[in-house]
Short mmCIF file of all heavy atoms in Angstrom, two decimals:
data_model
loop_
_atom_site.label_atom_id
_atom_site.label_comp_id
_atom_site.label_asym_id
_atom_site.label_seq_id
_atom_site.Cartn_x
_atom_site.Cartn_y
_atom_site.Cartn_z
N GLU A 98 116.48 78.65 104.85
CA GLU A 98 117.20 79.91 104.67
C GLU A 98 116.22 80.91 103.82
O GLU A 98 115.82 80.58 102.72
CB GLU A 98 118.49 79.69 103.92
CG GLU A 98 119.23 80.95 103.64
CD GLU A 98 120.54 80.66 102.85
OE1 GLU A 98 120.88 79.53 102.73
OE2 GLU A 98 121.06 81.59 102.25
N ILE A 99 115.97 82.10 104.42
CA ILE A 99 115.06 82.94 103.72
C ILE A 99 115.69 84.35 103.56
O ILE A 99 116.36 84.91 104.57
CB ILE A 99 113.80 83.22 104.64
CG1 ILE A 99 113.10 81.87 104.71
CG2 ILE A 99 112.86 84.20 103.99
CD1 ILE A 99 111.86 81.88 105.59
N ASP A 100 115.60 84.96 102.40
CA ASP A 100 115.96 86.27 102.14
C ASP A 100 114.70 87.14 101.88
O ASP A 100 113.78 86.69 101.21
CB ASP A 100 116.80 86.42 100.89
CG ASP A 100 118.31 86.14 101.12
OD1 ASP A 100 118.66 86.28 102.34
OD2 ASP A 100 119.07 85.83 100.17
N THR A 101 114.75 88.38 102.49
CA THR A 101 113.57 89.31 102.28
C THR A 101 113.92 90.25 101.10
O THR A 101 115.07 90.88 101.21
CB THR A 101 113.24 90.03 103.50
OG1 THR A 101 112.85 89.10 104.54
CG2 THR A 101 112.09 91.01 103.30
N TYR A 102 113.02 90.41 100.16
CA TYR A 102 113.28 91.41 99.03
C TYR A 102 112.42 92.59 99.28
O TYR A 102 111.25 92.47 99.73
CB TYR A 102 113.00 90.68 97.70
CG TYR A 102 114.12 89.92 97.19
CD1 TYR A 102 114.64 88.83 97.95
CD2 TYR A 102 114.78 90.15 95.98
CE1 TYR A 102 115.74 88.00 97.45
CE2 TYR A 102 115.79 89.48 95.52
CZ TYR A 102 116.27 88.36 96.22
OH TYR A 102 117.37 87.65 95.73
N THR A 103 112.99 93.73 98.95
CA THR A 103 112.20 95.03 99.19
C THR A 103 112.07 95.75 97.79
O THR A 103 112.83 95.62 96.90
CB THR A 103 113.02 95.93 100.13
OG1 THR A 103 114.37 96.18 99.68
CG2 THR A 103 113.11 95.28 101.57
N PRO A 104 110.92 96.65 97.79
CA PRO A 104 110.80 97.37 96.52
C PRO A 104 111.88 98.47 96.32
O PRO A 104 112.35 98.99 97.42
CB PRO A 104 109.36 97.97 96.72
CG PRO A 104 109.18 98.01 98.20
CD PRO A 104 109.95 96.84 98.77
N VAL A 105 112.08 98.83 95.15
CA VAL A 105 113.13 99.79 94.93
C VAL A 105 112.63 101.21 95.27
O VAL A 105 111.50 101.55 94.86
CB VAL A 105 113.50 99.90 93.46
CG1 VAL A 105 114.43 101.02 93.10
CG2 VAL A 105 114.26 98.47 93.09
N LYS A 106 113.33 101.94 96.10
CA LYS A 106 113.02 103.29 96.47
C LYS A 106 113.99 104.30 95.81
O LYS A 106 113.63 105.38 95.41
CB LYS A 106 113.07 103.50 97.95
CG LYS A 106 112.12 102.60 98.75
CD LYS A 106 110.68 103.02 98.44
CE LYS A 106 109.70 102.21 99.26
NZ LYS A 106 108.27 102.58 99.02
N ASN A 107 115.28 103.90 95.67
CA ASN A 107 116.29 104.69 95.06
C ASN A 107 117.23 103.91 94.25
O ASN A 107 117.99 103.12 94.87
CB ASN A 107 116.97 105.50 96.14
CG ASN A 107 117.93 106.60 95.68
OD1 ASN A 107 118.26 106.61 94.45
ND2 ASN A 107 118.41 107.42 96.47
N ILE A 108 117.15 104.03 92.96
CA ILE A 108 118.05 103.15 92.10
C ILE A 108 119.52 103.40 92.26
O ILE A 108 120.33 102.53 91.96
CB ILE A 108 117.51 103.27 90.67
CG1 ILE A 108 118.08 102.13 89.83
CG2 ILE A 108 117.97 104.58 90.09
CD1 ILE A 108 117.48 102.06 88.37
N THR A 109 119.89 104.61 92.75
CA THR A 109 121.39 104.98 92.75
C THR A 109 122.11 104.21 93.92
O THR A 109 123.25 104.18 93.94
CB THR A 109 121.43 106.53 93.04
OG1 THR A 109 120.85 106.83 94.34
CG2 THR A 109 120.81 107.32 92.03
N THR A 110 121.32 103.62 94.80
CA THR A 110 122.07 102.93 95.86
C THR A 110 122.18 101.41 95.68
O THR A 110 122.65 100.63 96.49
CB THR A 110 121.31 103.05 97.20
OG1 THR A 110 119.97 102.41 97.06
CG2 THR A 110 121.00 104.53 97.52
N LEU A 111 121.80 100.85 94.47
CA LEU A 111 121.74 99.51 94.17
C LEU A 111 123.01 99.00 93.62
O LEU A 111 123.82 99.70 92.89
CB LEU A 111 120.64 99.19 93.18
CG LEU A 111 119.15 99.63 93.63
CD1 LEU A 111 118.19 99.17 92.52
CD2 LEU A 111 118.85 99.09 94.93
N ASP A 112 123.36 97.67 93.91
CA ASP A 112 124.44 96.97 93.19
C ASP A 112 124.01 95.61 92.77
O ASP A 112 122.76 95.27 92.87
CB ASP A 112 125.76 96.99 94.11
CG ASP A 112 125.43 96.22 95.49
OD1 ASP A 112 124.53 95.34 95.51
OD2 ASP A 112 126.13 96.58 96.43
N ALA A 113 124.94 94.71 92.42
CA ALA A 113 124.51 93.47 91.83
C ALA A 113 124.11 92.46 92.94
O ALA A 113 123.60 91.41 92.59
CB ALA A 113 125.74 92.86 91.12
N THR A 114 124.21 92.86 94.16
CA THR A 114 123.71 91.91 95.27
C THR A 114 122.53 92.35 95.96
O THR A 114 122.02 91.76 96.89
CB THR A 114 124.88 91.68 96.35
OG1 THR A 114 125.22 93.01 96.90
CG2 THR A 114 126.22 91.24 95.62
N SER A 115 121.95 93.53 95.59
CA SER A 115 120.83 94.12 96.25
C SER A 115 119.61 93.22 96.10
O SER A 115 119.28 92.80 95.01
CB SER A 115 120.53 95.52 95.68
OG SER A 115 121.62 96.40 95.88
N ARG A 116 118.99 92.92 97.23
CA ARG A 116 117.75 92.02 97.26
C ARG A 116 116.51 92.99 97.01
O ARG A 116 115.89 93.48 97.95
CB ARG A 116 117.65 91.30 98.61
CG ARG A 116 118.24 89.91 98.59
CD ARG A 116 119.64 89.94 98.43
NE ARG A 116 120.24 88.53 98.61
CZ ARG A 116 121.43 88.09 98.31
NH1 ARG A 116 122.24 89.03 97.74
NH2 ARG A 116 121.81 86.90 98.57
N ILE A 117 116.27 93.16 95.76
CA ILE A 117 115.15 94.23 95.46
C ILE A 117 114.26 93.66 94.34
O ILE A 117 114.55 92.66 93.73
CB ILE A 117 115.76 95.59 94.98
CG1 ILE A 117 116.72 95.34 93.83
CG2 ILE A 117 116.49 96.28 96.14
CD1 ILE A 117 116.17 95.41 92.42
N TYR A 118 113.11 94.39 94.16
CA TYR A 118 112.27 94.13 93.02
C TYR A 118 111.60 95.44 92.58
O TYR A 118 111.49 96.36 93.43
CB TYR A 118 111.18 93.06 93.32
CG TYR A 118 110.17 93.49 94.42
CD1 TYR A 118 109.06 94.22 94.12
CD2 TYR A 118 110.48 93.22 95.74
CE1 TYR A 118 108.15 94.60 95.06
CE2 TYR A 118 109.49 93.51 96.72
CZ TYR A 118 108.37 94.25 96.38
OH TYR A 118 107.54 94.60 97.38
N PHE A 119 111.21 95.51 91.30
CA PHE A 119 110.44 96.67 90.83
C PHE A 119 109.00 96.18 90.64
O PHE A 119 108.77 95.01 90.41
CB PHE A 119 110.95 97.03 89.41
CG PHE A 119 112.44 97.53 89.40
CD1 PHE A 119 113.44 96.60 89.25
CD2 PHE A 119 112.69 98.89 89.56
CE1 PHE A 119 114.80 97.08 89.27
CE2 PHE A 119 114.04 99.32 89.59
CZ PHE A 119 115.03 98.46 89.41
N LEU A 120 108.10 96.99 90.91
CA LEU A 120 106.62 96.64 90.93
C LEU A 120 106.05 97.46 89.72
O LEU A 120 106.14 98.59 89.63
CB LEU A 120 105.97 97.05 92.18
CG LEU A 120 104.61 96.45 92.42
CD1 LEU A 120 104.73 94.90 92.53
CD2 LEU A 120 103.96 96.92 93.73
N GLU A 121 105.44 96.68 88.85
CA GLU A 121 104.73 97.30 87.68
C GLU A 121 103.25 96.91 87.61
O GLU A 121 102.96 95.78 88.01
CB GLU A 121 105.41 96.81 86.37
CG GLU A 121 106.87 97.20 86.24
CD GLU A 121 107.48 96.68 84.95
OE1 GLU A 121 106.73 95.99 84.21
OE2 GLU A 121 108.67 96.89 84.70
N GLU A 122 102.42 97.81 87.21
CA GLU A 122 101.03 97.47 87.02
C GLU A 122 100.81 97.06 85.63
O GLU A 122 101.29 97.64 84.61
CB GLU A 122 100.15 98.75 87.29
CG GLU A 122 98.62 98.41 87.31
CD GLU A 122 97.87 99.58 87.82
OE1 GLU A 122 98.34 100.57 88.34
OE2 GLU A 122 96.58 99.49 87.67
N VAL A 123 100.08 95.90 85.45
CA VAL A 123 99.84 95.34 84.20
C VAL A 123 98.36 95.32 83.93
O VAL A 123 97.56 95.90 84.53
CB VAL A 123 100.55 93.91 84.12
CG1 VAL A 123 102.02 93.97 84.16
CG2 VAL A 123 100.00 93.03 85.22
N GLU A 124 97.93 94.33 83.00
CA GLU A 124 96.53 94.27 82.57
C GLU A 124 95.73 93.85 83.84
O GLU A 124 96.13 93.28 84.73
CB GLU A 124 96.33 93.29 81.39
CG GLU A 124 97.07 93.71 80.15
CD GLU A 124 98.57 93.17 80.20
OE1 GLU A 124 98.98 92.63 81.13
OE2 GLU A 124 99.24 93.61 79.22
N ASP A 125 94.43 94.23 83.69
CA ASP A 125 93.46 93.78 84.64
C ASP A 125 93.72 94.45 86.08
O ASP A 125 93.38 93.79 87.02
CB ASP A 125 93.35 92.26 84.71
CG ASP A 125 92.87 91.72 83.39
OD1 ASP A 125 92.02 92.37 82.69
OD2 ASP A 125 93.30 90.57 83.07
N THR A 126 94.45 95.50 86.08
CA THR A 126 94.82 96.15 87.48
C THR A 126 95.55 95.27 88.34
O THR A 126 95.45 95.35 89.56
CB THR A 126 93.55 96.73 88.10
OG1 THR A 126 92.68 95.71 88.54
CG2 THR A 126 92.80 97.74 87.17
N LYS A 127 96.35 94.35 87.68
CA LYS A 127 97.24 93.45 88.66
C LYS A 127 98.62 94.01 88.54
O LYS A 127 98.88 94.98 87.86
CB LYS A 127 97.10 92.06 88.08
CG LYS A 127 95.75 91.42 88.29
CD LYS A 127 95.79 89.93 87.78
CE LYS A 127 94.32 89.30 87.93
NZ LYS A 127 94.37 87.96 87.38
#
Side-chain angles (χ1 to χ4, degrees):
E98 179 185 344
I99 298 178
D100 274 341
T101 300
Y102 278 59
T103 57
V105 172
K106 297 296 184 183
N107 187 346
I108 197 172
T109 63
T110 63
L111 305 181
D112 59 29
T114 63
S115 299
R116 268 61 173 170
I117 55 89
Y118 64 87
F119 298 87
L120 195 63
E121 299 179 359
E122 189 169 348
V123 293
E124 296 84 3
D125 301 323
T126 65
K127 294 180 180 178

